[in-house]
Amino acid sequence: AITRLKSRVKVYRDGTLVFLGRIIEDNIGLKCRKSYIAEGILACLIDSIQRPFSFDGTIAELLAQLIAGHNAQVNAEQRFILGGVTVNDDIITVVSTEYLSTWAVLKEYLLDIYGGYLVVTFDSNENPMLSYLASPPDTATQRIEFGENLSELSVIRNADETYTACIPL
């Protein structure tokens, strides 16, 4: 029984976990053929809220604070371990007056300002580790060409919204 937002998908390459995600959409077509859409584990960062805060410290310290806040609000399958940080080691000041998802805080106060990449890797127990890196750890040299190694491309728009938190003010 596959359940949206609960069931997890794991993809292995040569015995190593390379993708962990959750089902967000399921479809049943003709002849009862089922298909599923999964989003990566990084999307779990939209499931937690960061209350207004003021912060002075390094980016690594801010990321640790945000992950700790996220982990305190979600179940065990949605938690992250702090990985490495190679983006800007200076002292920064961040003030947020809004109730934003952890993802929105990361995007607005780190990615949009300092650039870099959020990268998820997995420890030996298959727990997701979130790292904030100045440059991607590896890049693919393979060209993507329709009809060669890309067999289908589609854009799906969905008006459904799923709320994962409601904060009374």
Side-chain angles (χ1 to χ4, degrees):
I2 295 178
T3 306
R4 279 176 283 175
L5 298 178
K6 296 269 186 206
S7 297
R8 296 166 66 83
V9 174
K10 293 182 178 182
V11 177
Y12 293 87
R13 181 184 306 134
D14 299 325
T16 302
L17 182 64
V18 295
F19 175 83
L20 176 62
R22 61 186 179 184
I23 300 297
I24 59 168
E25 187 175 316
D26 58 297
N27 299 302
I28 299 176
L30 294 174
K31 299 181 184 178
C32 294
R33 183 176 175 188
K34 295 181 182 180
S35 64
Y36 300 93
I37 296 176
E39 63 184 1
I41 193 70
L42 198 58
C44 288
L45 293 170
I46 64 173
D47 296 340
S48 61
I49 298 294
Q50 299 291 326
R51 296 182 181 276
F53 66 93
S54 179
F55 174 84
D56 287 308
T58 65
I59 287 179
E61 293 167 340
L62 176 59
L63 187 59
Q65 177 180 314
L66 294 173
I67 289 176
H70 166 78
N71 288 346
Q73 298 175 49
V74 297
N75 62 45
E77 291 80 28
Q78 297 169 291
R79 294 182 184 147
F80 290 92
I81 297 170
L82 180 61
V85 176
T86 62
V87 174
N88 189 340
D89 200 22
D90 297 336
I91 301 296
I92 62 170
T93 299
V94 176
V95 176
S96 174
T97 58
E98 299 180 50
Y99 290 80
L100 299 172
S101 70
T102 301
W103 170 254
V105 172
L106 288 169
K107 182 168 178 357
E108 184 175 335
Y109 296 106
L110 293 180
L111 296 172
D112 289 350
I113 296 171
Y114 301 102
Y117 301 85
L118 291 175
V119 177
V120 176
T121 55
F122 304 96
D123 69 6
S124 58
N125 294 323
E126 297 185 347
N127 296 311
M129 294 189 311
L130 182 62
S131 298
Y132 184 31
L133 307 177
S135 59
D138 53 19
T139 55
T141 57
Q142 180 181 15
R143 293 177 49 102
I144 298 173
E145 295 187 28
F146 189 74
E148 294 288 324
N149 54 8
L150 177 64
S151 60
E152 183 179 338
L153 178 64
S154 63
V155 176
I156 299 172
R157 293 191 170 95
N158 189 336
D160 293 345
E161 291 186 20
T162 301
Y163 294 94
T164 57
C166 180
I167 300 175
L169 298 177

